[in-house]
């Protein structure tokens, strides 16, 4: 899997978006414009075709969000991407990887996001998904114009999650820094990155959403390190 690029990066690059993106739970009433919807759907289609997924954007709809709407720390959530795909062994990682790109792409469009895995309505998401009853839905990504830009999450030290045989090159260090910016379930950051030469491996501790978290962190590492500099092993 590789990080997707777009002309939209002329305004804000994905790397800049990675630094700017934080979880946002309160949104303005401003609806998504037709052009923004078109661009998001185009990005989604690219991932669906490339990885065989069924991600879908739903706008001005709260069917999948009743539990979230009831939370006092939320406001105005009514657009979301349903993270769905065939129920295969690697679908969680693929959905995590793709959702990471979609969140950063949304950031380049001036939007904010919130990855939700446990508090959304599974019934409501299923109702609005065209993926079919056999598809697996792992969560939703709320998207819209935030009332604020969120705040950075607490992060582990690079040496707590990564090691390299010998002196770590700049690209490896940049990749680890980028991975630590990735959103993970309950901010666990339970990944381990190992590097040797141009070979890199990443594992994630078992637990809820570990497959999706692995995909999200792999995407961030690749974006930070530069895919031309390493190979996954």
């Amino acid at each position: 899997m590789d990080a997707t690029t777009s002309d939209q990066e002329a305004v804000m690059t994905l790397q800049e978006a990675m630094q700017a993106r934080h979880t946002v739970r309160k949104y303005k009433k401003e609806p998504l414009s037709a052009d923004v919807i078109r661009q998001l759907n185009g990005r989604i289609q690219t991932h669906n075709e490339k990885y065989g997924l069924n991600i879908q954007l739903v706008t001005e709809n709260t069917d999948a969000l009743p539990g979230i709407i009831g939370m006092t720390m939320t406001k105005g959530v009514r657009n979301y991407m349903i993270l769905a795909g065939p129920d295969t062994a690697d679908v969680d990682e693929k959905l995590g990887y793709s959702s990471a790109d979609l969140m950063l792409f949304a950031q380049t469009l001036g939007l904010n996001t919130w990855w939700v895995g446990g508090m959304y309505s599974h019934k409501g998401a299923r109702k609005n998904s065209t993926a079919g009853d056999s598809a697996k839905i792992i969560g939703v990504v709320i998207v819209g114009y935030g009332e604020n830009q969120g705040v950075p999450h607490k992060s582990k030290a690079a040496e707590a999650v990564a090691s390299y045989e010998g002196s770590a090159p700049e690209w490896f260090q940049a990749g680890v820094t980028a991975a630590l910016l990735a959103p993970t379930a309950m901010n666990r950051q339970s990944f381990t990155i190992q590097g040797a030469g141009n070979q890199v491996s990443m594992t994630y501790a078992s637990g809820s959403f570990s497959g999706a978290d692995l995909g999200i962190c792999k995407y961030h590492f690749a974006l930070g390190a530069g895919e031309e500099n390493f190979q996954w092993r």
Side-chain angles (χ1 to χ4, degrees):
M1 292 183 284
D2 58 352
T4 307
T5 58
S6 167
D7 291 340
Q8 286 300 317
E9 295 169 48
V11 177
M12 175 187 284
T13 67
L14 291 173
Q15 287 82 359
E16 290 169 338
M18 183 168 55
Q19 296 286 338
R21 185 220 60 83
H22 308 298
T23 294
V24 172
R25 295 183 173 88
K26 292 186 178 182
Y27 293 83
K28 300 175 183 178
K29 293 181 179 180
E30 181 180 355
L32 303 184
S33 69
D35 185 56
V36 164
I37 291 172
R38 177 187 62 79
Q39 292 185 69
L40 287 174
N41 279 329
R43 193 77 164 196
I44 288 169
Q45 182 179 358
T46 296
H47 282 279
N48 284 344
E49 292 178 352
K50 189 168 188 175
Y51 301 120
L53 302 174
N54 306 106
I55 301 172
Q56 182 178 338
L57 174 66
V58 179
T59 61
E60 299 301 320
N61 177 287
T62 60
D63 289 344
L65 311 175
I68 298 169
I69 292 172
M71 297 170 60
T72 58
M73 62 178 165
T74 67
K75 179 182 177 182
V77 289
R78 62 184 186 277
N79 308 297
Y80 52 93
M81 291 177 273
I82 302 172
L83 303 178
D87 193 1
T88 57
D90 62 350
V91 71
D92 290 54
E93 183 178 336
K94 287 181 177 179
L95 287 169
Y97 196 95
S98 294
S99 67
D101 177 76
L102 292 169
M103 285 189 288
L104 296 189
F105 181 69
Q107 192 82 29
T108 71
L109 298 178
L111 301 170
N112 302 98
T113 54
W114 175 17
W115 207 106
V116 180
M119 297 178 289
Y120 75 99
S121 167
H122 295 246
K123 182 178 180 180
R126 181 72 64 183
K127 173 184 174 183
N128 286 278
S129 173
T130 59
D133 293 340
S134 63
K136 183 176 184 180
I137 298 176
I138 67 168
V140 299
V141 173
I142 294 170
V143 60
Y145 298 99
E147 287 194 349
N148 54 65
Q149 294 301 307
V151 296
H153 59 248
K154 292 182 179 179
S155 186
K156 293 181 178 179
E159 57 268 23
V161 299
S163 62
Y164 188 90
E165 292 184 15
S167 179
E170 289 186 7
W171 62 261
F172 183 82
Q173 297 176 51
V176 173
T177 298
L180 287 167
L181 292 173
T184 57
M186 296 175 285
N187 196 31
R188 292 186 304 161
Q189 297 186 321
S190 298
F191 57 85
T192 300
I193 305 171
Q194 295 179 317
N198 71 337
Q199 301 292 306
V200 176
S201 64
M202 182 185 293
T203 57
Y204 207 95
S206 61
S208 300
F209 306 105
S210 59
D213 282 349
L214 178 61
I216 292 171
C217 292
K218 277 188 170 183
Y219 177 90
H220 275 248
F221 180 92
L223 186 61
E227 292 178 328
E228 69 279 7
N229 292 316
F230 78 99
Q231 293 180 342
W232 292 114
R233 68 179 181 190

